Amino acid sequence: MKEKELRLALVCYGGVSLAVYEHGVTKEILKLVRASKAYHSAPGAAEKRSPGYTFEALAGSDPEHSTETVYFDLLKALGASLDLRVIVDVVAGSSAGGLNSIALARALAHDLSLAPLTAMWLEEADMRRLLAPEAKARAWSKWYFRPLMTPLLWGLRREGLIPSTMDEESRSAVSTFVRSRWFKPPLDGRRLSTLLLDALHAMGPAAAGSASLLPAGQRLDLLVTVTDFHGSERSIFIHDPPVVKEREHRHILRFAFERPQAGAGASDFEADNAPSLAFAGRATASYPGAFPPAQLAEMDAVLAERGEFWPTRRAFLEANFRHYREEGIDPENAILLDGSVLNNKPVFAAIEAMRTHRAFREVDRRLVYVDPHVRRTRARRRGRPPGFFRTLRGALSDLPRQEPIYQELIDIDAVNARVGRIRAALAAARPHVVALVERATRGRLREKVRPEDLRRWRLQSGNMLPGLIYDPWVALVLNEGIDFIADLVADVCNHARGSQEERAVRRLVATWAQARGIFAGRYRVPSSVGAEAQLPPFASFIVSFGVRYRRRRLTFVIQAVNDLYARTSEPQFAAVTSEALDLLKRRLYRSLDALRAYDGVAFLSSDLVGRIRSLFQGTRGAGEEGEPLDEAFLRARGAEIDSVFGQLSRECDLVGANEEVDAVLASPAVWALGPEAQREVLLSYVGFVLWDAILLPMSDGLVLEAGSLDAVLVDRISPEDATAFGPDIEGPLLMGGSFAGFGGFLSRAVRENDYLWGRLHAVDRLIDIVASAAETDIRTAGVDIQAFKKRAFQLVLDAEAPRLTRIEDLVARLREVLAKL
């Protein structure tokens, strides 16, 4: 059976009270992922197809479960020809979208419910509850303003800022708001922090063991945008002057969950992290003029009042504000504003994160962005300049938040085109690579080879390439090794990335490598070499410090294994089973996971850490007149550098890592695949130098270590895209965008309306996205997508009707329309 992963990177836009709509969307996304995990919990295809294999049988009865059953059955219907998994591994959000991104990421990491967030949005997101006690209008506050309320509401309706009809709750909330405190933020930041803490705690603690909606061996990234009012100073290196200082106000708070193949993972989403997550939510939603800016002291005070602690405070600051300390800025003094001020649509951040994620199978990679804004159909009056206040409002708030993602989409399209060109180049090169590898191995790739055979072929594989191609490739890989050493030294010495100190270390390492003959210009490995100890200096350097090269090689081999899943029906691969492929991949992933140790400095001994600091943090001394500083330092302390880098090579022990992989690929785990499948796997391993010589120069920023080269398709979830109910529902669907985006805070009826549409629109679009990932298989299996949508819509209405008591008429109308679909 063909296997595929539908991987979603989610981006949630800002939208003030349209956060309620986005909550409905993210809740539905969680249900789709939960259904996918449940469906794939069975060990084999036969069990998945059995009539008794249902979501209810696996998950039991839970009032919070509803559309999970539909998504489960849709995946099961596709299962006749396609084993499709749905995974969300990147979530990015700003402002209102940031709040929902935080909650969704925590729920995904530890398989938790979003029900507490539903209660928070519907019950607590009320203007009168959010107003600061000292700012809230009393009965006679600004009494003189009461007669002006009618013309004010008329003017707001004329400008399209509020609906033509408003319920009494909304009118009362507007009156209270406009009569509350002026010239200071009227909404209560501490109240928002408290609500977020309560909701995150109410989601429950992370369950013991492996409860997660993320597959083993995967990482979940959460990216939340904030705006630093004062900013942090960054050094930029140019020609003249050599260094200029610029102030950066955009900032991203990052959280992650790592789920290894075995054992407990590292999580930023457990209960101890609730204050960090709540602070991120408070900061990203600090809408200018409405909420006061966020500061760490506020969260400290809220926790003190509640008698709670912030166990992960130091780790949170180290992960997200380390560069502040390096620049002498105390994060305690940071003043953070709404993330939407400068980065309302963090598409680039999501793309950057998802490019580093690896897949287990063939992957359909999607960037899904949630845009709750409905475009106004009223034509703008052009040629007439806007008034003073409208110009200010547009320049200071509206225009930056409504900037389109045109450039981001253009860039994604350009990357997709580059991926297509690389794939075409690899396909064109394949016959030549196969011929060269078969000649070098004397046609033995179908035999039960020994680890020492693989080692000898691997070490001499570069000799298959002509110098015109091989020598430039070696230079690229050598420079990767220099970067690896320089990054380690910078981390040990606490040099900021991009600082003058870090750049000086990088130049010194390069000068050392040049002086030791590592950059030879022409590169060849003698045919007599059969072990790493016999390699010339350049190859020995790559073996010792080529971490990125090893990652690329392992992920390339894993991709070759992934490709075999779809070829098991071919006669030459009759011996291949999914279970055998899974076993081999688990062993390869263990080797790949082991390389993660080199992302930090924890693997270094305390002795080596001390020696590095003593060497690179000390005085470098002065050279002779006109002599570069790095050359003077090398002349004075070259022997010590040799000794330190020699110890670093031994502690990295990448030779041992190579031997482990050789043993895996010359083991029964590969023999069990049969001779033809074994040949495909070994072609990717022994011949990787040839593939990488093509890939690396063409990558141009692509993260090849992450795995397969995949195009990124972009999908949107918005009120304009979900059209299943057609024109039968008249009038504006969402109401939270009124009153400059605060409409949802005026009335529970508005919040109920937007929340319900969020779930319905998400059902419509998510089933479309699943269908597009399995388009051919849907036609083959005869799956009726419209029937699945109708059933899911019905379940949403049945589940939500009891709590949506303010919009009973809308629910009734939707049921009537649904009956006609």
Side-chain angles (χ1 to χ4, degrees):
M1 184 186 301
K2 185 169 67 175
E3 296 187 347
K4 184 188 284 189
E5 290 181 5
L6 174 58
R7 284 182 168 257
L8 308 181
L10 184 69
V11 178
C12 297
Y13 288 6
V16 197
S17 72
L18 287 168
V20 184
Y21 172 83
E22 292 188 284
H23 169 65
V25 173
T26 55
K27 193 171 186 178
E28 208 60 40
I29 290 171
L30 179 69
K31 290 177 177 294
L32 171 59
V33 177
R34 181 178 289 129
S36 176
K37 180 196 174 183
Y39 175 68
H40 292 286
S41 62
E47 184 177 346
K48 289 179 180 178
R49 293 173 187 164
S50 67
Y53 190 66
T54 64
F55 182 81
E56 296 91 334
L58 293 169
S61 60
D62 187 325
E64 279 301 310
H65 294 160
S66 55
T67 49
E68 288 95 337
T69 60
V70 177
Y71 299 131
F72 184 98
D73 292 346
L74 175 59
L75 295 174
K76 185 175 181 179
L78 294 172
S81 57
L82 174 66
D83 195 45
L84 183 68
R85 296 171 186 259
V86 183
I87 299 166
V88 175
D89 58 357
V90 176
V91 185
S94 177
S95 192
L99 294 176
N100 284 296
S101 296
I102 291 166
L104 175 62
R106 183 159 196 261
L108 290 168
H110 298 296
D111 196 4
L112 302 175
S113 171
L114 285 177
L117 276 297
T118 304
M120 182 191 79
W121 286 122
L122 294 182
E123 298 169 14
E124 301 295 337
D126 184 282
M127 181 72 73
R128 286 159 293 192
R129 296 192 185 192
L130 292 173
L131 284 167
E134 67 276 10
K136 187 175 181 179
R138 304 294 187 267
W140 292 100
S141 297
K142 297 184 180 67
W143 57 269
Y144 53 83
F145 206 80
R146 287 183 180 276
L148 301 176
M149 285 303 301
T150 298
L152 172 65
L153 293 175
W154 179 83
L156 292 175
R157 289 191 193 98
R158 186 184 64 180
E159 291 293 321
L161 295 176
I162 60 174
S164 56
T165 58
M166 293 180 66
D167 58 26
E168 182 57 36
E169 183 182 4
S170 296
R171 285 193 293 270
S172 174
V174 171
S175 175
T176 301
F177 179 74
V178 299
R179 292 185 300 106
S180 294
R181 181 172 65 190
W182 294 354
F183 309 118
K184 285 186 179 181
L187 303 186
D188 191 347
R190 295 176 70 155
R191 171 69 175 158
L192 178 58
S193 295
T194 300
L195 289 175
L196 293 173
L197 279 169
D198 288 343
L200 290 169
H201 283 307
M203 291 176 69
S210 59
S212 173
L213 296 181
L214 204 69
Q218 297 296 313
R219 185 178 81 250
L220 170 68
D221 281 318
L222 168 65
L223 314 162
V224 181
T225 69
V226 296
T227 304
D228 186 340
F229 182 80
H230 292 300
S232 59
E233 205 168 61
R234 299 298 180 92
S235 297
I236 302 174
F237 296 88
I238 61 174
H239 175 249
D240 189 14
V243 182
V244 295
K245 302 284 187 179
E246 293 288 347
R247 194 159 290 278
E248 176 65 78
H249 297 271
R250 292 174 299 179
H251 191 48
I252 294 179
L253 303 178
R254 301 173 185 271
F255 303 85
F257 170 70
E258 295 266 2
R259 189 180 179 198
Q261 289 285 353
S267 175
D268 290 333
F269 301 101
E270 295 180 336
D272 285 351
N273 295 88
S276 302
L277 296 167
F279 178 76
R282 165 72 176 91
T284 193
S286 299
Y287 195 92
F291 285 103
Q295 288 187 280
L296 290 164
E298 179 189 277
M299 181 58 70
D300 292 334
V302 169
L303 292 170
E305 287 178 2
R306 296 161 61 97
E308 297 178 9
F309 300 97
W310 191 345
T312 61
R313 190 180 195 273
R314 178 177 296 180
F316 168 70
L317 295 181
E318 177 65 20
N320 290 287
F321 294 93
R322 179 180 177 183
H323 63 284
Y324 281 53
R325 298 192 188 281
E326 292 168 347
E327 296 166 19
I329 302 172
D330 188 349
E332 304 288 343
N333 298 326
I335 297 175
L336 303 180
L337 307 177
D338 194 295
S340 68
V341 173
L342 295 176
N343 194 358
N344 191 39
K345 302 167 183 179
V347 172
F348 277 140
I351 294 172
E352 179 186 51
M354 72 184 187
R355 289 292 185 193
T356 67
H357 287 216
R358 65 194 186 203
F360 282 98
R361 300 161 182 81
E362 176 189 352
V363 63
D364 187 329
R365 170 53 88 179
R366 305 293 179 96
L367 177 82
V368 179
Y369 67 97
V370 182
D371 184 358
H373 301 280
V374 179
R375 307 296 179 263
R376 291 191 179 184
T377 57
R378 185 178 64 171
R380 294 182 179 272
R381 291 176 291 179
R382 299 190 179 276
R384 179 178 176 181
F388 176 75
F389 289 106
R390 186 176 176 188
T391 301
L392 284 180
R393 188 188 74 190
L396 297 177
S397 60
D398 293 349
L399 294 182
R401 290 181 177 82
Q402 297 305 324
E403 276 297 293
I405 59 169
Y406 173 81
Q407 188 58 52
E408 288 90 335
L409 297 180
I410 290 294
D411 289 347
I412 291 173
D413 190 57
V415 170
N416 288 344
R418 189 160 70 248
V419 166
R421 289 193 292 270
I422 292 175
R423 284 179 173 274
L426 292 177
R430 179 176 171 81
H432 304 285
V433 172
V434 171
L436 287 171
V437 175
E438 288 282 14
R439 185 185 311 144
T441 60
R442 299 180 180 179
R444 294 184 55 202
L445 294 182
R446 295 178 178 85
E447 301 175 9
K448 293 182 179 180
V449 298
R450 302 168 301 168
E452 49 267 36
D453 295 326
L454 285 181
R455 181 171 63 248
R456 186 177 66 258
W457 295 338
R458 169 172 54 79
L459 293 175
Q460 297 184 10
S461 59
N463 294 337
M464 292 184 281
L465 284 168
L468 180 62
I469 298 174
Y470 183 62
D471 293 348
W473 173 82
V474 170
L476 290 174
V477 178
L478 289 174
N479 277 294
E480 288 182 341
I482 287 172
D483 288 341
F484 170 71
I485 296 174
D487 288 344
L488 276 178
V489 171
D491 288 343
V492 168
C493 298
N494 292 316
H495 294 157
R497 288 287 188 270
S499 66
Q500 295 186 61
E501 295 83 0
E502 187 256 357
R503 289 165 65 88
V505 167
R506 201 171 299 275
R507 286 195 304 270
L508 176 59
V509 176
T511 302
W512 169 84
Q514 194 75 47
R516 297 301 181 261
I518 291 170
F519 285 95
R522 294 181 62 82
Y523 306 97
R524 275 295 175 268
V525 174
S527 59
S528 59
V529 167
E532 278 82 353
Q534 303 167 354
L535 290 170
F538 82 89
S540 181
F541 184 84
I542 292 174
V543 166
S544 296
F545 304 115
V547 175
R548 292 185 62 184
Y549 171 68
R550 271 160 189 75
R551 283 180 174 147
R552 287 198 301 276
R553 185 170 62 195
L554 275 170
T555 51
F556 194 80
V557 174
I558 289 170
Q559 183 57 40
V561 177
N562 287 342
D563 292 342
L564 291 173
Y565 283 97
R567 304 184 65 184
T568 54
S569 60
E570 298 177 22
Q572 66 268 36
F573 299 114
V576 178
T577 65
S578 293
E579 292 75 17
L581 294 174
D582 289 343
L583 175 62
L584 175 58
K585 281 203 304 182
R586 279 197 296 272
R587 297 188 65 182
L588 291 171
Y589 270 124
R590 278 199 292 270
S591 297
L592 189 59
D593 287 340
L595 294 178
R596 292 189 180 186
Y598 305 108
D599 292 339
V601 298
F603 74 95
L604 299 176
S605 68
S606 58
D607 173 66
L608 182 54
V609 167
R611 294 186 68 192
I612 290 174
R613 287 176 178 165
S614 174
L615 181 61
F616 292 100
Q617 285 185 336
T619 303
R620 297 188 174 183
E624 298 174 359
E625 186 175 354
E627 184 179 24
L629 188 59
D630 48 0
E631 292 182 9
F633 186 60
L634 181 61
R635 180 169 51 80
R637 307 185 70 174
E640 190 176 352
I641 296 175
D642 292 343
S643 175
V644 167
F645 288 171
Q647 183 175 348
L648 176 60
S649 172
R650 292 190 295 275
E651 293 194 7
C652 286
D653 189 25
L654 291 178
V655 173
N658 283 336
E659 291 174 348
E660 289 176 6
V661 178
D662 291 341
V664 169
L665 294 178
S667 73
V670 175
W671 304 342
L673 303 179
E676 292 301 324
Q678 173 180 302
R679 174 177 176 268
E680 292 297 314
V681 174
L682 296 186
L683 274 171
S684 66
Y685 184 63
V686 176
F688 179 68
V689 138
L690 288 76
W691 299 115
D692 202 42
I694 300 168
L695 282 167
L696 191 57
M698 295 181 66
S699 62
D700 191 21
L702 294 177
V703 184
L704 300 177
E705 297 93 321
S708 59
L709 288 164
D710 301 296
V712 177
L713 304 182
V714 181
D715 294 291
R716 183 177 72 169
I717 299 177
S718 85
E720 297 183 352
D721 306 316
T723 58
F725 284 92
D728 295 306
I729 303 298
E730 298 179 354
L733 298 185
L734 303 189
M735 302 168 67
S738 63
F739 201 59
F742 287 82
F745 299 150
L746 303 180
S747 165
R748 174 164 178 138
V750 173
R751 297 193 292 278
E752 290 184 0
N753 175 87
D754 289 2
Y755 165 67
L756 178 59
W757 280 116
R759 286 201 64 183
L760 294 173
H761 289 170
V763 165
D764 194 358
R765 296 295 294 130
L766 290 174
I767 291 180
D768 284 342
I769 291 170
V770 170
S772 69
E775 185 174 0
T776 302
D777 302 277
I778 280 177
R779 290 197 297 268
T780 302
V783 177
D784 186 349
I785 291 298
Q786 186 66 11
F788 278 100
K789 283 188 179 182
K790 184 174 181 179
R791 182 178 153 210
F793 291 146
Q794 188 67 59
L795 286 172
V796 170
L797 294 178
D798 291 344
E800 299 296 347
R803 71 174 134 213
L804 304 183
T805 57
R806 306 287 183 90
I807 56 168
E808 292 176 340
D809 290 345
L810 173 62
V811 173
R813 286 207 316 276
L814 288 170
R815 290 190 188 279
E816 292 174 2
V817 173
L818 189 59
K820 300 175 184 177
L821 290 181

